[in-house]
Amino acid sequence: MSAAARWLQLPIDLTLVAIAWWLAFWLRFNLDTPDEFQAMMLSTLPWPLLGFGFSLLAWGVYRHIWRYTSVAELTRLVYGVAFAGLLTTAAVLMLRVEFFPRSVLLLHPMLALLLLGAARTSARLLLGKRTQPASFGKPLLLVGSVQDAAAALPALRGARLWSPVGIVSPIANEKGRTLQGLQVLGALSELPHIAERTHAAAALVVSAAGSHARREALVCASEAGLPLLTMPRPDEWLRVAAGQPRRIELEDLLGRAPVALDEKGLSELIAGQTVLVTGAGGSIGSELCRQIARFGVARLVCVDVSEYAIYQLEQELREAHPQMQGLYYTANVREPERLLAIAQLYRPAVMFHAAAYKHVPLMESLNEIEALRTNVLGTLNAARVAGTLGMQRFVLISTDKAVNPTNVMGASKRLAEQVLQAVAGEFPATRFMAVRFGNVLGSSGSVVPLFTQQIARGGPVTVTHPDIVRYFMTIPEAAQLVLQAGLMGQTRQIFVMDMGEPVKIVDLAKLLIRLSGQTEQDVPIAFTGLRPGEKLYEELLANDETTEPTPHPKLRVAKGADTAVNAAEVVQWIHAAGPAPQASDTRAWLRSLVPEYRSAP
């Protein structure tokens, strides 16, 4: 609407104010205004016109376009009319108009509000309908409750690419209800039929992040063969055009609320300090480095055995944080002298130990001794360096596979936790703690990169078992909770993360296929059977453990039997085992130190 057209609103409004003034007199005298009061009505008319003109302009009523009138604009109009009524009343009373009917002063603002509001509502209905094409976008189904759909509809109304045609709700008693002209067409189980009937081109999943309904909606929508969309997260609104729907991304499969961090506490812990990260080139280690850099670390010492990984990290951090002093070392945590020499140069206040072998099948066969040398001896070496130099904190990145382990990798990480607790007794000045969590979505060695490669090749996507489930979290979420645990943790504590609801791997495979724009007919899923040492489900707590709450809702402390180990004997056995011990001997020794470890002899 042009500026000239917008200013035509004022004469229209003043005409309606005059009509309301006449109606107020007319109603006051029972639909028959005497002649003398008609003259009074005309003589006093300039005052309500002036009062309303001034008040409506002052309240910014004409900044809004009538065809887009909403509750906010009507609310502003109410304030403007109320203020104008007060001005008119004051003017009439000050003029001391003889025999003026006081009830007119009460009736007029109500009638004026009714007429002005009706004009705007009519403009929205008529002009909006006239300018909107009959079919202005692809048909879109909203998948979620009526409440969730209501939050998404305002952004969709201004879109031209998508046209909502109905709602599919997980709540049974919502079927048949309507929301702003959209009907709830049925339940999630009916989605394939509804999609066919409405010729929907896509499904917009509007269920709340982190809810079971969202997970169910994603699975059902993928089974219906529809492309999956979602509304952008708050942090994406500046990057996603006009806040319009976007494709479901990997992180949306979890959809949990962002981690709430103690920003002040972490700044006090990290800002201006020196921090050392082992395994810095890995998925978790590199994200830890990004988060640590964000909190203003003065000097970040990055250690990784992979030359390529540490080079990539160096390039990224130098560009993103040019003010930070970054030191990038290729070193192996299995060499304590090298690690100690690096740490002595910079005297870090905090060390995060992320270096580890984590691939279960690789460590289960042919490489058992390598898991012990890196995961156990590497942890012992790093922890003793931290204690020797009097660091404030040492944080071990552990895993849910350390709970009731059924494989060598999990047993080695559980033994690493026990070794850490033994070192904590040697160096009371340093806080030693461990953080357990499950699979990290998209990390190297996880199923997601494997599935992505298999989908790119046209399949099949290999899943070991139709009922296998895993806990997942995003890499930034995992790294942030590690930092939070490092801030609040006391020595010898083992933290357990809230991993949310477990995800069926077969559902994850289906969703990734859908994200690629294909179906299971295009990319089949094949079940290959459980691999050696693999569980159907993961646990975050051993049978004899309980948890205690912490100030952070997503972190709990595992409390259980403190199984002491003799660190010197651990070192002696691993060194004595040599480069190629018998696998049965390795497993038998692990069972002697980790009683909950169960595997084939």
Side-chain angles (χ1 to χ4, degrees):
M1 178 182 290
S2 66
R6 285 173 57 189
W7 281 106
L8 283 175
Q9 296 173 5
L10 180 59
I12 294 173
D13 280 349
L14 293 181
T15 301
L16 293 175
V17 168
I19 292 173
W21 189 249
W22 175 79
L23 283 173
F25 275 88
W26 190 55
L27 291 174
R28 163 63 180 81
F29 292 102
N30 298 319
L31 315 184
D32 186 18
T33 308
D35 293 340
E36 62 271 24
F37 283 98
Q38 288 186 17
M40 180 186 296
M41 175 190 67
L42 292 173
S43 65
T44 56
L45 179 59
W47 299 109
L49 292 178
L50 288 172
F52 272 76
F54 173 78
S55 180
L56 296 179
L57 288 170
W59 280 94
V61 169
Y62 300 107
R63 298 172 189 166
H64 309 295
I65 302 173
W66 283 16
R67 74 179 64 180
Y68 302 122
T69 297
S70 66
V71 173
E73 283 76 42
L74 291 177
T75 301
R76 187 177 293 273
L77 179 65
V78 169
Y79 292 146
V81 169
F83 186 64
L86 292 176
L87 291 178
T88 303
T89 301
V92 170
L93 294 179
M94 290 176 64
L95 289 172
R96 299 179 181 274
V97 179
E98 192 174 2
F99 303 119
F100 190 90
R102 304 293 174 87
S103 56
V104 168
L105 299 176
L106 181 63
L107 285 171
H108 179 248
M110 293 189 290
L111 293 169
L113 179 62
L114 181 64
L115 293 176
L116 297 179
R120 283 154 174 78
T121 305
S122 299
R124 172 166 181 165
L125 292 174
L126 297 175
L127 296 177
K129 184 175 181 180
R130 188 187 68 188
T131 57
Q132 181 175 291
S135 178
F136 57 87
K138 300 176 185 177
L140 179 71
L141 281 175
L142 274 60
V143 182
S145 68
V146 169
Q147 180 179 356
D148 294 328
L153 274 176
L156 290 173
R157 292 301 188 192
R160 287 293 178 268
L161 183 60
W162 299 105
S163 175
V165 294
I167 302 170
V168 180
S169 173
I171 303 174
N173 61 10
E174 287 189 348
K175 184 175 181 179
R177 296 178 62 186
T178 59
L179 171 69
Q180 300 182 28
L182 284 182
Q183 186 175 6
V184 179
L185 302 175
L188 290 177
S189 58
E190 304 172 71
L191 183 55
H193 174 68
I194 294 171
E196 183 179 357
R197 176 158 51 92
T198 59
H199 305 289
L204 176 66
V205 179
V206 295
S207 296
S211 65
H212 175 72
R214 181 181 179 87
R215 182 76 49 78
E216 186 181 2
L218 285 169
V219 173
C220 290
S222 69
E223 291 176 349
L226 292 173
L228 304 180
L229 305 176
T230 189
M231 297 303 292
R233 297 183 297 271
D235 60 316
E236 298 176 318
W237 275 70
L238 294 178
R239 294 185 286 112
V240 179
Q244 294 306 307
R246 60 162 174 77
R247 285 272 184 174
I248 293 280
E249 296 174 353
L250 202 55
E251 290 76 8
D252 298 310
L253 304 184
L254 298 179
R256 290 199 292 273
V259 174
L261 295 177
D262 180 359
E263 305 269 353
K264 183 175 182 295
L266 286 172
S267 294
E268 292 175 354
L269 174 67
I270 293 172
Q273 299 288 339
T274 298
V275 176
L276 190 151
V277 179
T278 70
S283 303
I284 295 297
S286 60
E287 183 61 31
L288 275 172
C289 291
R290 295 182 193 102
Q291 298 290 339
I292 291 167
R294 184 168 70 89
F295 283 102
V297 65
R299 185 161 49 193
L300 181 59
V301 184
C302 305
V303 177
D304 199 282
V305 72
S306 168
E307 175 191 33
Y308 181 65
I310 205 72
Y311 166 75
Q312 283 190 311
L313 181 66
E314 176 190 26
Q315 297 301 305
E316 177 186 344
L317 292 183
R318 281 189 173 174
E319 181 178 355
H321 303 279
Q323 79 288 350
M324 182 190 72
Q325 183 183 1
L327 294 310
Y328 304 91
Y329 283 91
T330 55
N332 197 325
V333 293
R334 286 155 52 161
E335 300 172 358
E337 295 83 3
R338 169 69 168 160
L339 195 58
L340 178 61
I342 293 170
Q344 281 179 324
L345 287 174
Y346 306 106
R347 298 280 173 170
V350 184
M351 183 191 297
F352 292 94
H353 180 54
Y357 283 135
K358 62 180 183 179
H359 197 276
V360 171
L362 277 178
M363 297 301 107
E364 192 65 18
S365 176
L366 307 178
N367 298 298
E368 298 91 341
I369 192 63
E370 293 299 303
L372 298 181
R373 287 178 173 177
T374 294
N375 295 355
V376 180
L377 287 188
T379 298
L380 178 62
N381 295 338
R384 280 184 168 165
V385 166
T388 300
L389 297 182
M391 296 184 195
Q392 297 175 19
R393 290 172 172 82
F394 177 92
V395 183
L396 165 67
I397 311 301
S398 191
T399 172
D400 55 1
K401 294 174 178 63
V403 183
N404 294 327
T406 59
N407 50 67
V408 170
M409 195 283 286
S412 71
K413 293 296 282 186
R414 174 58 186 146
L415 184 54
E417 293 177 353
Q418 294 172 282
V419 164
L420 182 69
Q421 291 181 326
V423 174
E426 300 175 21
F427 302 99
T430 300
R431 296 185 189 181
F432 294 89
M433 62 209 73
V435 185
R436 287 178 187 162
F437 51 88
N439 301 276
V440 176
L441 201 64
S443 66
S444 60
S446 74
V447 297
V448 172
L450 173 63
F451 286 173
T452 303
Q453 293 172 6
Q454 292 173 335
I455 292 168
R457 293 197 301 263
V461 175
T462 56
V463 179
T464 56
H465 193 282
D467 296 324
I468 193 168
V469 297
R470 289 292 181 266
Y471 292 95
F472 284 98
M473 64 176 13
T474 64
I475 293 176
E477 184 179 12
Q480 289 167 7
L481 287 175
V482 167
L483 292 180
Q484 189 67 50
L487 171 65
M488 67 173 58
Q490 301 300 318
T491 197
R492 303 172 74 95
Q493 285 184 330
I494 298 175
F495 285 90
V496 179
M497 293 184 178
D498 172 16
M499 297 294 297
E501 295 294 322
V503 178
K504 290 186 72 172
I505 299 300
V506 67
D507 290 341
L508 180 62
K510 290 178 181 178
L511 289 169
L512 286 172
I513 292 171
R514 289 297 171 194
L515 288 180
S516 72
Q518 303 179 81
T519 68
E520 287 87 273
Q521 286 71 38
D522 304 319
V523 182
I525 295 175
F527 297 102
T528 59
L530 291 176
R531 297 171 295 186
E534 190 172 38
K535 297 179 181 180
L536 270 180
Y537 58 91
E538 300 291 359
E539 305 158 277
L540 295 179
L541 290 174
N543 293 335
D544 62 342
E545 288 180 313
T546 58
T547 63
E548 292 182 351
T550 72
H552 197 283
K554 290 194 175 184
L555 289 170
R556 298 182 69 85
V557 176
K559 302 295 289 185
D562 191 356
T563 308
V565 295
N566 187 309
E569 292 179 1
V570 170
V571 174
Q572 182 181 359
W573 190 93
I574 295 175
H575 284 319
Q582 291 293 320
S584 57
D585 293 341
T586 303
R587 289 185 172 84
W589 177 73
L590 273 173
R591 281 193 294 273
S592 71
L593 295 178
V594 184
E596 62 268 31
Y597 171 43
R598 295 287 181 267
S599 74

